[in-house]
Amino acid sequence: MNIELSREATEYGRQARRALEAAGGDRLVQLAEEEPERREKVVAPVLAGLGAWELNPCGDAGELEAAAALCRSAGYWALPYPVAERLSRPAGLDADGLLVVAAPAPSAPVADLDLRWVAVTVSGERSRAVTLPQTSPPRHSAFVAELELSPVDGDGAADAALGLVLPCWTLLGMLDRAIDLTRAHVTVRTQFGQPLAAFQGVQFQLTDAEVERSGVEMLARYALWSLLASPADALADALALRLAALEAAQTVFRVAHQLHGATGFCDETFLSWLSRYSQPLRRLPLGLSATREQLGRQLGRRGLTGLFSEAR
Amino acid sequence: MGEGATALRGQLRTMVGEHIPADFLGAFTEDPADLEIAQRFCGLLADRGLLCLAWPEEFGGRSASVWEQTVVREEMWAHHEPRGAQYMGINWVGPAIMRHGTPEQQRRHLPPITRGEVIWCQGFSEPDAGSDLASLRTAARPVEADVQPDGEGGTARQAGDGGWLVSGQKIWTSYATMAQWCFLLARTSRGARKQQGLTIFLVPMSRAGIEVRPIRCMIGPHHLNEVFLDEVRVGPADVLGTVDDGWKVVQEVLAFERVGIARYARCERLLQAAPSALGDRWDDLPAELRGRWAGMLVHCRRARLLAYRVLALQSQGRVSPVDTAAYRIAVTKLDQDSAEVLMEMAGLARLAGAGGRRFSRAVQDHWRYAQASTVASGSIEMQRILLARALLAAS
Ligand SMILES: Cc1cc2nc3c(=O)[nH]c(=O)nc-3n(C[C@H](O)[C@H](O)[C@H](O)COP(=O)(O)OP(=O)(O)OC[C@H]3O[C@@H](n4cnc5c(N)ncnc54)[C@H](O)[C@@H]3O)c2cc1C
């Protein structure tokens, strides 16, 4: 595994972040909340301009890394669009994207989009998925729609691994942003005659958050490598990444909210948007406990591949 | 807690069952009907002598025990506070006026609170004064200063005799759009310490120069606001307690406020409701999630017992801010941790009929509120600092 993403992928991610900023940045999710139907029109052309839909993450390590970097940049702006889901569309099935779902309540943040979806469970059962009409506005639903499934086949194990890994890259981008916002806030906000950043109680919280974030970053790269280099382990590695990402999200968003004080809850602060729109990624398809259980089941008595996994 | 408390709990549950719709999520939703429900319910509680039951009889209460008062707080918070914003009048505005108000202020302000007719807001925080509240800048300028230059004339009159003009900005003022009165903290002079020279004013929100602007936030609508004060006229009759000595009152108010909300009661009610809300789906939950659920029930009990310790000490007049700090740290963490556990159940609950969907909505509401519980009424770090100081001083 490479500790760093390739230079090309890193540069591509940087360009994507800039392009999304130029297209509206933080405003994009706010506009989408006001006018959900317009999000396809506003966001999809920017992604097309970045060549997103020409990427083939299933086949080539370079393109896989580029796809991951793009998801991370999308997360940074809480982009109200299923980028990771579209990038993980399965080869061989005519569809615009892939959604990893869990019984008995399949749902995904893909409301109000005219796209054709394939759904896959963690155990690899694939179906065609149709979104059911929305019952609540995005402010409450965060674009999550319930799905109606019609079974296709059981060949989706590899799809499931990719479909779990890429959204974790989106979540990683959100964690990057939450930490950037918090770091900026505690250096500017003054109380008791000094910046909040001068208080050790603030510093330690920020470091706890950063330890979690950087851990996810490494596991995210590992899982990317595993997808192509170690397909037999890919699903376990994807679930391991998801578990760490969910744990990290809890810590990072808690610290971000705490250190922002009351201002972090109001819509003038981007944290309020980031925190709300991170929810679907953190709850679907599996929450923290369900991910732990699924990982435990996947590992069985074998454990996770590591220094001593051969010794038993 | 005693038989009286148990009977009272039963009575309150019956009243909630009869008068509060099952899907009620508090007075501050997008639906104005919810505010009306709360207003009516306050009236009912008042008619039955249950609104201010812990207040002394001379002020319209029943001198009920601290445990009966606790039961009211638990039942109300557990059922999404059907008293609306009025819990503040009962928990801390009224008690502060009883302790520090003039007989005239008591006559004027306490009866409307006991009748459930008035909403108060708390004008403390400012854009630059949050955790460091004492650094606030909203200034009350004595009116005489306009006509008499400083230090001249040698009159015996005191600054403020002719009233003040208050200017500045408050922020995060809960319920300011619906409040009739503000419990306002402003600077009347500069002392050696920044805690000196602060004064509490009881100001009607209708007074000229006050403007309220709502703040859109993730907690929900009608909650947080900015309050702008532009030369708002206040007089000596509006001062609560002593001019320049308001900080003492603020400390008392915050101490009342911090034990006033029985957060553990809502956590426990939602956690206990989960199995029946999920019905058969309960068995589909990951075993580990059910383990976390059980752990949260233990934490509910722990927080409740810590609250009872504070209340027992308080009733003997022995409570210290340190005991309150430990309780508040435990209960606000419980609020957030239980919200995470419940959110992982909410998705499945949606499949379990109308009851399940109702539960799911209540859980989401709980999650949003819980995010702020370690910041509202003062950040938890301030409590940590207090507790640490006390622990280390004791060794
Ligand atoms: C839901 C809600 C309702 C509210 N209602 C009212 C109201 O009705 N009236 C009113 O006057 N106010 C109200 N407030 C404001 C509340 O009192 C303040 O938010 C609180 O005192 C913290 O101030 P701040 O938000 O400015 O945070 P800041 O003081 O800016 O602090 C931000 C964060 O920095 C950290 N921090 C700060 N100082 C230190 C330190 N010395 N050491 C370590 N860490 C530190 C903490 O994590 C803190 O949370 C409300 C707030 C909320 C969230």
Side-chain angles (χ1 to χ4, degrees):
Chain A
M1 159 204 174
N2 291 328
I3 296 290
E4 301 294 337
L5 280 195
S6 70
R7 200 157 353 111
E8 293 80 5
T10 307
E11 181 49 34
Y12 180 64
R14 204 173 295 140
Q15 277 175 19
R17 195 156 119 184
R18 256 187 259 124
L20 292 169
E21 182 176 21
D26 291 350
R27 279 293 293 151
L28 291 169
V29 65
Q30 303 172 357
L31 286 172
E33 190 175 283
E34 282 161 28
E35 292 182 77
E37 322 71 45
R38 278 193 52 209
R39 62 194 181 123
E40 172 83 40
K41 222 182 275 154
V42 175
V43 178
V46 187
L47 294 165
L50 286 162
W53 314 141
E54 281 97 64
L55 288 174
N56 174 20
C58 299
D60 175 274
E63 299 199 28
L64 178 61
E65 288 195 358
L70 177 58
C71 293
R72 187 174 184 176
S73 297
Y76 195 84
W77 302 110
L79 194 72
Y81 196 82
V83 181
E85 293 75 0
R86 286 205 61 185
L87 288 171
S88 40
R89 70 191 172 278
L93 285 179
D94 185 26
D96 298 315
L98 176 86
L99 307 169
V100 182
V101 296
S107 44
V110 293
D112 302 309
L113 292 170
D114 191 16
L115 294 167
R116 298 156 313 149
W117 298 103
V118 165
V120 65
T121 63
V122 174
S123 47
E125 277 111 44
R126 298 196 291 189
S127 343
R128 294 271 169 200
V130 179
T131 55
L132 298 177
Q134 274 303 83
T135 49
S136 54
R139 193 158 177 95
H140 293 296
S141 72
F143 300 115
V144 171
E146 288 176 33
L147 302 170
E148 199 169 67
L149 305 183
S150 32
V152 176
D153 61 29
D155 303 337
D159 294 339
L162 179 66
L164 284 168
V165 168
L166 286 183
C168 287
W169 279 85
T170 313
L171 188 54
L172 173 62
M174 291 183 160
L175 302 186
D176 293 337
R177 186 64 191 282
I179 290 199
D180 280 0
L181 288 168
T182 308
R183 211 178 42 205
H185 181 75
V186 298
T187 46
V188 172
R189 170 78 171 162
T190 306
Q191 286 290 275
F192 305 100
Q194 44 189 335
L196 292 179
F199 295 105
Q200 202 168 58
V202 168
Q203 294 166 1
F204 283 2
Q205 291 192 54
L206 196 60
T207 52
D208 285 350
E210 171 57 16
V211 168
E212 291 290 320
R213 190 209 61 82
S214 59
V216 174
E217 186 174 3
M218 291 323 295
L219 287 170
R221 290 195 191 142
Y222 185 95
L224 217 52
W225 166 83
S226 167
L227 279 173
L228 295 179
S230 180
D233 285 333
L235 190 55
D237 294 337
L239 286 164
L241 165 62
R242 179 161 176 85
L243 177 56
L246 296 186
E247 288 174 345
Q250 230 173 55
T251 305
V252 170
F253 278 105
R254 184 88 295 289
V255 167
H257 270 307
Q258 189 62 22
L259 296 184
H260 271 78
T263 202
F265 306 118
C266 70
D267 281 9
E268 263 180 51
T269 310
F270 194 64
L271 179 63
S272 161
W273 299 85
L274 196 63
S275 166
R276 283 186 287 123
Y277 284 92
S278 74
Q279 288 298 319
L281 279 169
R282 296 167 58 186
R283 313 286 170 200
L284 296 171
L286 303 166
L288 190 57
S289 282
T291 302
R292 272 197 198 115
E293 188 176 73
Q294 190 72 45
L295 177 62
R297 211 176 289 148
Q298 185 69 27
L299 297 180
R301 298 168 69 108
R302 205 178 60 244
L304 211 52
T305 299
L307 299 183
F308 297 98
S309 40
E310 309 298 323
R312 253 160 318 170
Chain B
M1 285 184 136
E3 273 176 32
T6 309
L8 175 62
R9 197 183 296 282
Q11 184 184 5
L12 290 169
R13 286 198 187 169
T14 307
M15 282 180 75
V16 168
E18 282 171 4
H19 300 285
I20 302 296
D23 57 0
F24 182 74
L25 290 179
F28 318 109
T29 65
E30 271 130 19
D31 185 356
D34 288 326
L35 184 60
E36 283 165 31
I37 290 171
Q39 302 290 59
R40 266 201 308 276
F41 195 71
C42 274
L44 274 175
L45 287 170
D47 290 347
R48 297 180 195 186
L50 296 172
L51 195 58
C52 296
L53 84 176
W55 286 18
E57 276 149 49
E58 57 175 312
F59 296 124
R62 289 197 341 212
S63 302
S65 73
V66 62
W67 302 115
E68 285 170 284
Q69 183 183 8
T70 304
V71 166
V72 174
R73 287 174 179 167
E74 290 175 346
E75 291 304 313
M76 294 299 102
W77 195 254
H79 294 93
H80 295 274
E81 195 45 90
R83 296 173 300 181
Q86 315 224 19
Y87 72 92
M88 300 211 299
I90 300 154
N91 284 359
W92 60 263
V93 181
I97 294 174
M98 284 175 219
R99 283 161 167 248
H100 304 283
T102 61
E104 170 51 28
Q105 286 171 331
Q106 291 171 348
R107 263 194 305 278
R108 173 168 199 183
H109 292 300
L110 298 179
I113 299 180
T114 61
R115 291 194 300 266
E117 288 171 358
V118 62
I119 292 176
W120 282 79
C121 64
Q122 181 192 78
F124 291 178
S125 304
E126 296 184 4
D128 292 324
S131 301
D132 185 11
L133 177 59
S135 69
L136 64 82
R137 298 213 197 120
T138 292
R141 186 166 51 88
V143 172
E144 303 97 313
D146 289 343
V147 278
Q148 276 187 352
D150 273 358
E152 283 184 26
T155 65
R157 296 185 65 196
Q158 299 218 327
D161 279 358
W164 296 261
L165 292 173
V166 184
S167 295
Q169 185 195 343
K170 297 292 172 182
I171 195 167
W172 319 126
T173 322
S174 302
Y175 322 122
T177 45
M178 50 191 80
Q180 291 91 29
W181 285 86
C182 181
F183 199 94
L184 179 71
L185 184 64
R187 182 163 294 288
T188 32
S189 71
R190 298 222 158 260
R193 298 172 59 236
K194 61 188 173 184
Q195 288 82 0
Q196 296 166 338
L198 297 170
T199 303
I200 303 271
F201 296 99
L202 307 178
V203 189
M205 292 296 284
S206 56
R207 200 162 279 177
I210 299 184
E211 190 197 339
V212 179
R213 289 188 210 151
I215 298 174
R216 207 171 143 80
C217 70
M218 61 186 269
I219 298 166
H222 314 298
H223 208 105
L224 300 177
N225 303 277
E226 291 176 289
V227 177
F228 296 87
L229 303 135
D230 181 18
E231 307 234 304
V232 177
R233 182 104 200 202
V234 294
D238 299 325
V239 173
L240 181 72
T242 314
V243 172
D244 288 345
D245 205 16
W247 189 248
K248 202 176 64 197
V249 184
V250 170
Q251 294 304 99
E252 272 180 30
V253 160
L254 292 175
F256 280 129
E257 194 183 12
R258 283 173 191 148
V259 289
I261 300 181
R263 293 183 186 274
Y264 57 84
R266 189 178 301 171
C267 299
E268 183 177 338
R269 175 164 175 253
L270 287 171
L271 288 162
Q272 291 284 20
S276 64
L278 269 82
D280 293 342
R281 302 276 178 196
W282 180 255
D283 299 323
D284 296 337
L285 292 177
E288 196 244 4
L289 184 54
R290 280 176 283 160
R292 285 167 69 199
W293 170 82
M296 281 302 116
L297 285 169
V298 177
H299 287 205
C300 284
R301 178 180 289 176
R302 181 177 78 170
R304 181 160 58 89
L305 295 176
L306 285 171
Y308 291 175
R309 182 179 69 169
V310 172
L311 294 164
L313 290 171
Q314 210 172 43
S315 66
Q316 299 159 10
R318 289 201 294 137
V319 73
S320 78
V322 180
D323 302 306
T324 318
Y327 160 62
R328 215 174 101 77
I329 294 168
V331 82
T332 50
K333 187 155 163 37
L334 164 71
D335 227 22
Q336 291 171 350
D337 292 348
S338 65
E340 289 299 327
V341 168
L342 287 160
M343 281 290 270
E344 288 185 44
M345 300 180 165
L348 263 191
R350 269 200 297 275
L351 302 179
R357 284 194 295 278
R358 204 159 51 223
F359 171 79
S360 171
R361 279 194 299 273
V363 165
Q364 290 185 26
D365 183 76
H366 174 55
W367 186 89
R368 279 195 299 273
Y369 262 85
Q371 297 314 302
S373 64
T374 43
V375 174
S377 310
S379 271
I380 211 69
E381 283 79 0
M382 299 301 113
Q383 306 292 303
R384 288 206 171 104
I385 290 169
L386 201 71
L387 186 53
R389 264 191 211 141
L391 283 170
L392 296 170
S395 61

